[in-house]
Amino acid sequence: MAFGITRAEMESWKTAVAGGDIAFLTHYWLDPRFPDMRTVTKVGCSDLAKLSRWCLDNGLNPRYIHNRDPFPHFDLLGAKQRELLLKENKHDQLERFGLL
């Protein structure tokens, strides 16, 4: 279950993803499979080759891309989430969700 974001933020992410941009959306999240995780960052891009390259460039296995048309994305959790949000200068998302 996702929460803590506005409809406008979600629509902006969807527009960027559909346009072939690498886009980041962090939100609060609860999933019983990951009981210690409280947030997830969805890194999306409709260009699967571009998203796969981004994954490889960042030490992630593109096999775990959620190929969900029309918004393919990779879920970032935990330390890797923080590391890549810092690398991508997404300080607003880091601060807002207490990931600093």
Side-chain angles (χ1 to χ4, degrees), residues 2 8-9 16-19 22 27 29 32-33 38 40-41 43 48 51 56 62 69 71 73 78 80 85 88:
E9 289 168 319
V17 170
I22 298 285
H27 59 78
W29 174 73
R33 296 172 298 164
R38 298 290 178 253
V40 62
T41 297
V43 181
L48 285 174
L51 184 56
L56 292 170
D69 193 39
F71 306 110
H73 64 276
K80 198 66 169 179
L85 286 172
E88 297 286 343

Side-chain angles (χ1 to χ4, degrees), residues 36-63:
D36 296 332
M37 299 293 126
R38 298 290 178 253
T39 61
V40 62
T41 297
K42 297 195 174 297
V43 181
C45 183
S46 62
D47 181 337
L48 285 174
K50 186 175 184 179
L51 184 56
S52 293
R53 279 190 310 274
W54 183 89
C55 287
L56 292 170
D57 289 347
N58 288 286
L60 303 168
N61 187 340
R63 176 177 176 215

